[in-house]
Amino acid sequence: MQVLYTASATASGDGRDGRVQTSDDTFALDLAVPKEMGGAGGGANPEQLFAAGYAACFHGALRLVARRAKADVTGSVVEAEVGIGPNGSGGFGLTAKLVVDLPAVPRETAEQLVEQAHQVCPYSNATRGNIDVALSVREALAA
């Protein structure tokens, strides 16, 4: 693979109760363990960062495949949920759920575009076979 771009970030402090910052100083954030995991909450966490990255990356892949198919992506949105929990082997694992809104596209076409985007998206390719990823197309609201 020819690398086109490399992102670099550093974590410091107390891991999940620490700080992350990119090497170019465009992004810096304090982290906090969520209350659901026994922490104080009140700050961002790695799962939120992963969800944000996955949503943005998948949305880009979706728009790419939709453009190739000449599909109207007006109003498209991708929502990502990332869960964390014990994996039964003494460690932890992740799950992901992507919910896609494609209001200007018929449902069957939207489902096909989502499946195609799942083959293109680098996050999907990285997670495939490693974590459960559920894909769904949100029902369009009645006009």
Side-chain angles (χ1 to χ4, degrees):
M1 182 180 92
Q2 177 188 357
V3 175
L4 300 175
Y5 169 75
T6 300
S8 177
T10 302
S12 59
D14 194 18
R16 289 178 164 273
D17 275 320
R19 182 169 179 78
V20 291
Q21 184 168 347
T22 59
S23 60
D24 62 2
D25 295 324
T26 59
F27 180 83
L29 191 63
D30 292 325
L31 302 176
V33 175
K35 290 180 181 179
E36 296 85 349
M37 292 179 65
N45 60 67
E47 291 68 41
Q48 290 171 322
L49 298 175
F50 186 72
Y54 203 167
C57 188
F58 195 89
H59 198 205
L62 179 67
R63 294 179 67 84
L64 173 70
V65 299
R67 195 168 39 250
R68 289 177 181 165
K70 298 184 180 5
D72 183 358
V73 292
T74 302
S76 63
V77 175
V78 175
E79 176 184 317
E81 298 176 5
V82 173
I84 184 171
N87 65 8
S89 300
F92 289 85
L94 299 174
T95 63
K97 179 180 179 182
L98 300 175
V99 181
V100 178
D101 289 308
L102 281 167
V105 177
R107 182 170 187 82
E108 184 176 324
T109 302
E111 290 172 349
Q112 291 170 355
L113 293 172
V114 167
E115 283 298 329
Q116 290 171 17
H118 192 46
Q119 299 307 309
V120 171
C121 175
Y123 277 59
S124 291
N125 289 330
T127 60
R128 189 171 291 108
N130 296 307
I131 70 171
D132 290 332
V133 177
L135 304 172
S136 66
V137 174
R138 191 179 320 264
E139 291 292 330
L141 299 175

